[in-house]
């Protein structure tokens, strides 16, 4: 582009990544370099079918040199570009800023990785985590699946191309079902742990009822939190119900409409103040965590169904059932209990 070379600012290009000397880093990762790199890489990423970008420099396999423009000509070019098309200019500057931060965070200048993460931040969901999103994501039948519904594009986490009943053919319905699934999965993960927790505490010396009998104790002597009436001693089912309605109503209202802690842009993944540990700061990592969350949520919903069936069939909690099975797996299993319900 007519850039003049500086003797000490020369970067070697190797297969897949740049190795830039520390002295040249301040010049090579300038606003102008970011803008130019953003134009080439984000443009290629958005038009690439595989989600991966291989630059012409890498494909050639020949070492080349990066030449950095003087600051005066760079500033003039940037002013001219901003006047010519402000919207595109701002978009490219944003892309350059994102790539600059990614380079600082990773400590390297990897073209493929930076392009993918930049496109992810700028809204290309298929670029956030190509292993679990997009057309090349895993399918529920693996290599034996020859057909995937056209509306299952891999946009949502945990989409394995399975919808034999066509429940998600309508985009609005699909989005609603996805929100319902994620919320139920989160409650199931909490519930699956909560059902086991009383039995674990009993092994430590507590005397707590099994999970499916715990709620009924409010009609007897009341519910004592951790078996201690001095902590919580709930005696009124109506008071408990009213408290749950108020707390859950307020939480759901904030999830949809925002509140004192800030506005909510996504009702399923609100982030912000509701992400105090900063899990969503890295978009690529957040995309992977969303897949893990829904997979664990689905497993937890299946586990809760198993808890219900166990409670009906054995009248025991999950840990006690597991202990009995380990002690005598031949006679204490699902098949043995299934015969109890056969007609005589």
């Amino acid at each position: 582009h007519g850039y003049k070379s500086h003797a000490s600012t020369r970067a070697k290009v190797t297969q897949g990544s740049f190795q830039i000397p520390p002295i040249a880093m301040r010049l090579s990762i300038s606003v102008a370099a970011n803008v130019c790199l953003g134009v080439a890489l984000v443009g290629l990423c958005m038009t690439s079918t595989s989600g991966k970008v291989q630059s012409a420099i890498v494909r050639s396999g020949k070492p080349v040199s990066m030449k950095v423009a003087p600051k005066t000509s760079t500033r003039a070019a940037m002013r001219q570009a901003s006047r010519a098309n402000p919207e595109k200019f701002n978009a490219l500057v944003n892309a350059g800023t994102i790539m600059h931060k990614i380079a600082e965070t990773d400590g390297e200048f990897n073209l493929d990785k930076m392009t993918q993460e930049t496109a992810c931040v700028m809204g290309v969901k298929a670029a956030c985590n190509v292993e679990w999103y997009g057309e090349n994501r895993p399918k529920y039948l693996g290599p034996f699946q020859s057909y995937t519904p056209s509306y299952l594009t891999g946009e949502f986490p945990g989409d394995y191309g399975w919808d034999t009943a066509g429940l998600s053919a309508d985009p609005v319905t699909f989005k609603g079902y996805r929100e319902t699934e994620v919320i139920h999965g989160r409650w199931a993960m909490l519930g699956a742990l909560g059902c086991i927790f009383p039995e674990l505490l009993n092994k430590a010396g507590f005397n707590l009822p099994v999970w499916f009998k715990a709620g009924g104790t409010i009609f007897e002597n009341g519910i004592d939190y951790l078996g201690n009436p001095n902590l919580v001693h709930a005696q009124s089912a109506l008071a408990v119900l009213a408290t749950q309605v108020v707390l859950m109503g307020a939480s759901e209202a904030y999830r949809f409409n925002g509140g004192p802690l800030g506005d909510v842009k996504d009702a399923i993944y609100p982030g912000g103040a509701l992400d105090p540990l900063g899990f969503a700061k890295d978009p690529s990592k957040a995309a992977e965590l969303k897949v893990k969350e829904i997979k664990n949520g689905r497993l937890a919903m299946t586990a809760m169904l198993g808890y219900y069936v166990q409670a009906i069939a054995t009248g025991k909690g999950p840990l006690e059932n597991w202990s009995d099975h380990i002690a005598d797996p031949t006679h204490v299993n699902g098949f043995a209990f299934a015969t109890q319900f056969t007609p005589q």
Side-chain angles (χ1 to χ4, degrees), residues 12-20 58 108-112:
K12 297 180 180 180
V13 180
T14 58
Q15 187 72 18
S17 63
F18 288 98
Q19 297 178 349
I20 302 178
V58 174
E108 61 177 351
F109 213 70
N110 187 295
L111 284 175
D112 285 344

Side-chain angles (χ1 to χ4, degrees), residues 201-225:
L201 291 179
N202 288 341
K203 293 183 179 297
F206 288 82
N207 185 23
L208 301 175
V210 69
W211 72 270
F212 54 86
K213 295 182 179 180
T217 58
I218 197 171
F219 301 107
E220 300 172 359
N221 300 321
I223 298 178
D224 298 330
Y225 185 71

Side-chain angles (χ1 to χ4, degrees), residues 116-136:
Q116 177 187 333
E117 294 186 1
T118 301
C120 173
V121 173
M122 297 187 73
V124 183
K125 293 186 178 181
C128 290
N129 195 313
V130 295
E131 182 180 1
W132 299 106
Y133 295 83
E135 296 181 359
N136 297 325

Side-chain angles (χ1 to χ4, degrees), residues 150-238:
S150 59
Y151 51 85
L152 298 180
T153 60
E155 176 186 3
F156 291 96
D159 176 4
Y160 291 93
W162 178 54
D163 185 23
T164 53
L167 299 176
S168 303
D170 178 62
V172 177
T173 305
F174 188 7
K175 185 177 180 180
Y177 283 157
R178 171 45 56 95
E179 181 175 346
T180 302
E181 182 183 25
V182 172
I183 298 300
H184 278 77
R186 290 170 181 171
W187 278 113
M189 286 187 282
L190 290 172
L193 178 61
C195 292
I196 296 175
F197 201 63
E199 293 187 75
L200 291 175
L201 291 179
N202 288 341
K203 293 183 179 297
F206 288 82
N207 185 23
L208 301 175
V210 69
W211 72 270
F212 54 86
K213 295 182 179 180
T217 58
I218 197 171
F219 301 107
E220 300 172 359
N221 300 321
I223 298 178
D224 298 330
Y225 185 71
L226 294 179
N228 188 348
N230 296 323
L231 294 176
V232 174
H233 183 62
Q235 295 179 297
S236 172
L238 293 178

Side-chain angles (χ1 to χ4, degrees), residues 217-305:
T217 58
I218 197 171
F219 301 107
E220 300 172 359
N221 300 321
I223 298 178
D224 298 330
Y225 185 71
L226 294 179
N228 188 348
N230 296 323
L231 294 176
V232 174
H233 183 62
Q235 295 179 297
S236 172
L238 293 178
V240 172
L241 178 61
T243 302
Q244 290 180 338
V245 169
V246 171
L247 294 178
M248 290 304 304
S251 300
E252 285 295 280
Y254 178 82
R255 187 170 69 87
F256 277 95
N257 305 316
L261 298 179
D263 296 330
V264 175
K265 297 180 180 180
D266 189 338
I268 307 180
Y269 308 103
L274 298 180
D275 183 24
L277 300 180
F279 289 119
K281 287 185 177 180
D282 183 348
S284 181
K285 186 66 175 179
E288 181 181 355
L289 290 175
K290 290 177 182 178
V291 176
K292 292 180 178 180
E293 179 190 37
I294 196 166
K295 290 171 69 176
N296 282 276
R298 289 167 177 170
L299 180 61
M301 287 188 282
T302 304
M304 284 304 306
L305 177 61

Side-chain angles (χ1 to χ4, degrees), residues 75-87 89-90 93:
R75 290 171 180 170
M78 290 178 64
R79 285 195 297 269
Q80 183 178 359
S82 64
R83 289 192 296 267
N85 196 321
E87 293 184 0
F89 176 80
N90 291 332
V93 170

Side-chain angles (χ1 to χ4, degrees), residues 40-76:
L41 298 182
V42 175
L44 285 173
C45 180
M46 292 183 178
T47 57
S48 174
T49 57
S50 63
K52 295 183 178 180
V53 176
Q54 294 182 353
S55 66
I57 295 175
V58 174
R59 288 196 300 268
S60 67
K62 298 179 181 180
V64 296
S65 300
M66 287 183 61
K67 299 180 180 180
V68 182
K71 290 185 177 180
T72 54
S73 61
T74 298
R75 290 171 180 170

